[in-house]
Every structure is written in C-alpha cells, then in structure tokens.
Amino acid sequence: QVHVAESGGGSVQAGGSLRLSCEVSGDTYGSNCMGWFRQFPGKEREGVASIYRDMIYTYYARSVEGRFTISQDSAKNTVYLQMNSLNPEDTAMYYCASGYRCVGDALSTTDYNTWGQGTQVTVSS
C-alpha cells in the first residue's frame, strides 16, 4: 500500500512562490503516476499537475501552466510542486495523490487511489 504526505503550504503575498512536497512511502511500485490537486471551498477537487513514474510526461491545468512545475526526486521518493507567480485565485487546499491505473493527462481524481491530508495555500493581494 502507498502512503503520501504533503508539506510546504503556507501564506504568501501575490507574486510570491511556494514549493509543496509530497513524500511517498510504502509500496512505491504501486504508484505509476503522482498528481497535485486543489480544492476551493464548496467546489470539487481539480487537477493541477501530474507526473508519470518515468518522469517523461508531465501535465498541467491551463490555469497554472507556465507558473507551476511538478518534479520528482526518485532517490527521496518525493514529488514537488513549485508554484511561482501566485495570485489570490490560487488560494486553496492542495492535495497530493498517487495512482496506479493512470490514463492520459492523469488530471482526473479517478486516476488516483491514495490521497494525502492536504496542505493549505493562502495567497493575499
């Protein structure tokens, strides 16, 4: 079984940067893709970025493309989400997820079977 745990959230002013980390433990061979999602109050969780285990393919939501970067350090079993040029509309709870049967851009919640507890990101204007 795979376990994931996020860290690195916090408060930042508009235009600033944050880096989220997601540590993966357990049966890491059961993880073929990793994703970052976010959830606004009263809204469904939405995909932000994903990376396949081979690290060749990464995908981004249009709203963050060019500002966010997903990466992976296999030696540390950690996935990162570097977030630059943050704006108040990025304020949300961010979740890391691990998936086994990933399809296409892997930005759908249905691609994932293991979720972290989430970390809050707050961007002030």
Side-chain angles (χ1 to χ4, degrees):
Q1 191 172 359
V2 179
H3 302 279
V4 298
E6 311 94 335
S7 62
S11 298
V12 65
Q13 289 193 326
S17 299
L18 281 174
R19 188 178 79 161
L20 305 182
S21 299
C22 175
E23 185 174 349
V24 185
S25 60
D27 182 13
T28 57
Y29 285 99
S31 175
N32 288 324
C33 66
M34 297 293 298
W36 285 99
F37 288 74
R38 63 186 181 185
Q39 190 166 19
F40 304 109
K43 302 290 186 180
E44 292 189 355
R45 206 165 290 187
E46 64 179 39
V48 174
S50 66
I51 185 168
Y52 275 78
R53 187 178 175 186
D54 56 16
M55 292 185 284
I56 294 176
Y57 299 106
T58 59
Y59 298 91
Y60 298 92
R62 286 188 179 182
S63 58
V64 306
E65 198 157 18
R67 300 188 298 123
F68 291 12
T69 303
I70 189 170
S71 62
Q72 181 172 297
D73 186 334
S74 297
K76 295 182 179 180
N77 286 329
T78 301
V79 177
Y80 303 99
L81 184 68
Q82 177 67 43
M83 306 186 294
N84 298 329
S85 301
L86 285 162
N87 57 63
E89 290 70 38
D90 295 314
T91 295
M93 184 71 78
Y94 283 72
Y95 296 89
C96 175
S98 168
Y100 180 69
R101 300 183 185 280
C102 317
V103 178
D105 62 12
L107 289 176
S108 171
T109 56
T110 58
D111 290 307
Y112 299 89
N113 52 293
T114 300
W115 295 84
Q117 295 297 309
T119 185
Q120 178 68 36
V121 171
T122 302
V123 185
S124 58
S125 58

